[in-house]
Amino acid sequence: MKLNKIKTRLIISIALGLISVLIYNSLLAEVKPAKIIGISNFLNSLWKRIPEIQVFLFCSVLTLTVISIPLLFKKQKFKQVIISVAIGLALILITWGIEFQLRQKNLGFNNLDAIQITELYEKASKEGDIEAISKIAMHPNLPDSIQEKLSDSKFMEIRRSIAYETDSEEILIKLSSDKEWEVRLAVATNLLTPIETLNKLQIDKNEDVKNIANSMIQKRE
C-alpha cells in the first residue's frame, strides 16, 4: 500500500485510532448506553467520553506522524508531511480545548452553594437530564432533603452517586440493601458507612462488594 497520498495515511490513522479506543474500552472503560434527551444531555455524554477522544486522537496523530516520517526523505513529498503534521496538531488543540472547557465547567460547579445546586437540580429534573442529576447527587452542598429523595430514585446511576457521597447513616443503611450491586459497592466504599453495615456487606452475594467491604473493615481496625 502506497502511503504517498494524504488521504490514505489519514484513513490508516483513523482506523488505528478507532481500534485503540475499542481496546481502551474493553480494558479500562465501562461503556453503557445513555438516555439522551436534548442537546444538553448530548453534550454531557460527549464530555464523559473525553478519555476515549484523547486516546483516539493520540493514536491517530502518532500513527499519522510515524507513517509520514519516511516522506521527509522525499523532497517532493515534504509539503504533504507539513500538511499531515498540521492536521495532527489541529486535532490535539481541539482536544485540549474541550478538556479545558470541561475543567472550567467542573470548577464552577464545585463552587455552587446549596441554593444554586438546588436550582440546578430543579432545572435538570424538568429536563429529565439523568446524567446531570447523577452528578448533582454527588455535590457536597446538596441539601439533605434532596439527598433523601434521590436515594429512592428509580435510576441506579443516581442512587449510586448518593451512596458514594452521602454522610447520612440512614441513607447508607437503606442503600446497602439495594437490588443493584453497584449501589451496594458504592455504600461499601463510603468512609462513613457504619461498621455494622460493612459487616453485612461482607457476606454480600457479589464478590466485588464483599472484597471492598472486607478491605474497608480492615482499614478501620
Side-chain angles (χ1 to χ4, degrees), residues 54-111:
Q54 289 177 325
V55 168
F56 168 73
L57 291 179
F58 173 79
C59 293
S60 296
V61 172
L62 180 62
T63 302
L64 186 60
T65 301
V66 170
I67 63 180
S68 296
I69 288 177
L71 298 182
L72 287 172
F73 301 98
K74 299 179 181 180
K75 294 183 178 179
Q76 69 273 22
K77 302 299 180 182
F78 185 77
K79 183 178 180 180
Q80 290 191 20
V81 176
I82 296 298
I83 294 175
S84 298
V85 172
I87 292 174
L89 290 175
L91 292 173
I92 291 175
L93 289 174
I94 290 173
T95 309
W96 284 350
I98 293 174
E99 185 174 18
F100 176 77
Q101 290 182 8
L102 177 62
R103 289 180 178 178
Q104 291 297 108
K105 181 179 178 180
N106 286 338
L107 181 62
F109 175 79
N110 292 334
N111 291 331

Side-chain angles (χ1 to χ4, degrees), residues 174-191:
K174 176 176 66 176
L175 292 180
S176 68
S177 300
D178 195 274
K179 62 181 180 180
E180 300 290 347
W181 70 268
E182 293 173 80
V183 178
R184 302 195 303 275
L185 181 67
V187 172
T189 61
N190 192 311
L191 296 175

Side-chain angles (χ1 to χ4, degrees), residues 25 29-36 45 48-49 52 131 155-158 160 164 180-183:
N25 280 333
E30 181 182 5
V31 181
K32 293 184 177 181
K35 183 179 180 182
I36 298 178
S45 298
K48 289 185 68 176
R49 296 293 173 241
E52 286 93 331
E131 290 187 9
F155 296 101
M156 182 278 294
E157 295 86 348
I158 295 177
R160 180 179 59 189
Y164 273 125
E180 300 290 347
W181 70 268
E182 293 173 80
V183 178

